[in-house]
Amino acid sequence: MNELAVAAGVAASPTSATINVSLNGGPVQNISVPDGSVPLLYLLRGPQLGPLNGPKFGCGFGQCGACSVYFPDFGLAARTCQATITKLLAIFAAYGIPATAPLNVLTLEGLGTVANPHPLQQAFIDQQAGQCAYCANAMIMGAIEFLHGRFASTPQNLAVPTTAEVAQFLSNSTFTDPTTTPWTIIPTPYLCRCGAHLRFMQAIQEATPAMMARFAQGQRY
Ligand code: FES
């Protein structure tokens, strides 16, 4: 409901929206919602694209990271509680991307399997990183952006990040806000209410060489 409608005491009519989504490398799905203000998170956890358990509802304000997914085409971990369908389409328009183009979305479920886990998943298991693990999705999806961003930036970043560098990422990550057009960078932490950050840092460091090898092979995550 917009401010004018609130002031007038009148409910604004929702505006429908349609977006094409390829989830975890799968076929393109045409998703229509009766209200474009629906966040991508709801579609992922609901029947339209899910139900998935990887992206979590935490704060609902873009402040914790629990709802993060990775957009390989943009090299960004996005907080889907803030990424409404209308806003995603507006971002497409701002970047000159056709509204019918598929939005490639990678979730925790698309990373690896029990038999063949992704290096970050394996490292989180090895390090027993997490207590309640509600935030594990945030840490892993965010770490993909963190590590690939390092690999892609400068040659000296082809090294295992120091503990201080990982701590900086976890505590003051540059969350890319898809609610603005064009996207803006906001310093935002990845939150863990259990305080398991030491093991997250060790897991991210452990996974770095394997991630580096994948990056060198042209893999996007
Ligand atoms: S639930 Fe989206 S950032 Fe917290």
Side-chain angles (χ1 to χ4, degrees):
M1 190 183 300
N2 63 38
E3 288 82 357
L4 200 56
V6 171
V10 177
S13 300
T15 304
S16 62
T18 300
I19 191 168
N20 290 320
V21 176
S22 172
L23 180 64
N24 294 326
V28 176
Q29 302 179 64
N30 185 260
I31 303 295
S32 292
V33 290
D35 185 346
S37 66
V38 170
L40 178 60
L41 175 63
Y42 294 4
L43 302 182
L44 293 169
R45 292 197 60 92
Q48 293 95 333
L49 286 168
L52 300 180
N53 289 322
K56 301 281 195 295
F57 189 100
C59 64
F61 289 105
Q63 296 173 351
C64 72
C67 61
S68 296
V69 302
Y70 188 65
F71 292 156
D73 296 337
F74 298 96
L76 296 170
R79 302 192 178 198
T80 56
C81 68
Q82 298 300 300
T84 68
I85 304 309
T86 299
K87 288 170 181 171
L88 288 168
L89 291 170
I91 291 163
F92 271 26
Y95 281 85
I97 301 170
T100 53
L103 175 68
N104 290 302
V105 178
L106 176 71
T107 72
L108 192 63
E109 290 86 350
L111 280 184
T113 63
V114 172
N116 185 28
H118 182 276
L120 276 164
Q121 291 172 316
Q122 184 62 59
F124 271 64
I125 294 168
D126 293 346
Q127 298 294 336
Q128 290 293 285
Q131 291 184 37
C132 80
Y134 196 82
C135 67
N137 176 71
M139 305 302 168
I140 291 176
M141 303 314 289
I144 294 173
E145 177 187 309
F146 170 60
L147 290 175
H148 270 252
R150 285 171 57 86
F151 302 153
S153 57
T154 53
Q156 63 264 32
N157 281 338
L158 289 174
V160 174
T162 65
T163 300
E165 287 171 328
V166 184
Q168 169 70 16
F169 150 67
L170 291 175
S171 63
N172 197 20
S173 153
T174 52
F175 157 47
T176 303
D177 183 1
T179 68
T180 58
T181 307
W183 298 7
T184 56
I185 305 296
I186 299 173
T188 309
Y190 283 94
L191 298 180
C192 167
R193 64 183 179 183
C194 306
H197 291 83
L198 279 178
R199 293 196 182 203
F200 298 143
M201 291 192 284
Q202 291 165 353
I204 292 168
Q205 289 173 314
E206 177 188 315
T208 300
M211 291 280 291
M212 213 181 294
R214 291 167 68 97
F215 179 79
Q217 293 166 358
Q219 296 192 41
R220 298 198 292 172
Y221 51 86

